[in-house]
Amino acid sequence: MTGLSRGFKTIYDDPEDENPEIFYLERILGTGVKEHRIWWRCLKVPQKSGYYRYFLKIDFMTLNMKSIEVMHQGHKMKTDRGDCVIRIWAYLQLDYNEKWRNSPF
């Protein structure tokens, strides 16, 4: 992946690593169909805030993936067919640097 969209970055501190993927699994079952599990984790600090940030968990799951050939505009093309489930959780993390943890406020 070449850069994340809308200012989100990976959860790692490495500025050269732009890949939000923390987990990738591909299983090929006995029938030849494939399953995938992919987890992305992304962070964004809005307006250089030191108090809150956004955190995204995005999980992809594909089921029953198999290669097929289709005709498109007179050409035979290879593609995949299957089911895809995408789950997205969005969090607002407050005091992520723990500066206010011991404050009376």
Side-chain angles (χ1 to χ4, degrees), residues 46 49-55 91-101:
S49 171
Y51 182 68
Y52 70 97
R53 68 182 175 187
Y54 305 124
F55 177 70
Y91 299 95
L92 179 64
Q93 292 182 321
L94 302 176
D95 193 25
Y96 65 92
N97 287 325
E98 297 183 358
K99 291 180 181 178
W100 293 82
R101 177 175 281 255

Side-chain angles (χ1 to χ4, degrees), residues 3 15 17 21 28 33 35-37 39 41 43 48 53 68 70 77-78 81-82 89 91 93 95-96 100 104:
D17 184 15
E21 190 173 277
I28 302 174
V33 299
E35 290 184 3
H36 297 93
R37 305 283 195 275
W39 298 350
R41 302 297 182 259
L43 294 171
K48 308 236 186 249
R53 68 182 175 187
I68 61 169
V70 296
M77 301 177 71
K78 290 187 177 185
R81 180 189 309 194
W89 294 269
Y91 299 95
Q93 292 182 321
D95 193 25
Y96 65 92
W100 293 82

Side-chain angles (χ1 to χ4, degrees), residues 3-78:
L4 294 171
S5 180
R6 306 264 184 202
F8 281 90
K9 307 228 182 279
T10 67
I11 59 173
Y12 306 110
D13 289 332
D14 186 3
E16 295 189 19
D17 184 15
E18 296 182 348
N19 186 0
E21 190 173 277
I22 64 166
F23 180 74
Y24 178 87
L25 171 72
E26 178 182 69
R27 285 196 314 184
I28 302 174
L29 304 176
T31 59
V33 299
K34 293 181 182 179
E35 290 184 3
H36 297 93
R37 305 283 195 275
I38 304 166
W39 298 350
W40 286 2
R41 302 297 182 259
C42 309
L43 294 171
K44 179 180 179 180
V45 179
Q47 304 162 351
K48 308 236 186 249
S49 171
Y51 182 68
Y52 70 97
R53 68 182 175 187
Y54 305 124
F55 177 70
L56 291 178
K57 286 175 53 177
I58 306 169
D59 293 354
F60 302 88
M61 178 175 63
T62 65
L63 301 168
N64 303 320
M65 297 295 290
K66 56 183 162 182
S67 296
I68 61 169
E69 290 185 351
V70 296
M71 292 294 290
H72 179 69
Q73 297 179 348
H75 298 283
K76 191 181 281 190
M77 301 177 71
K78 290 187 177 185

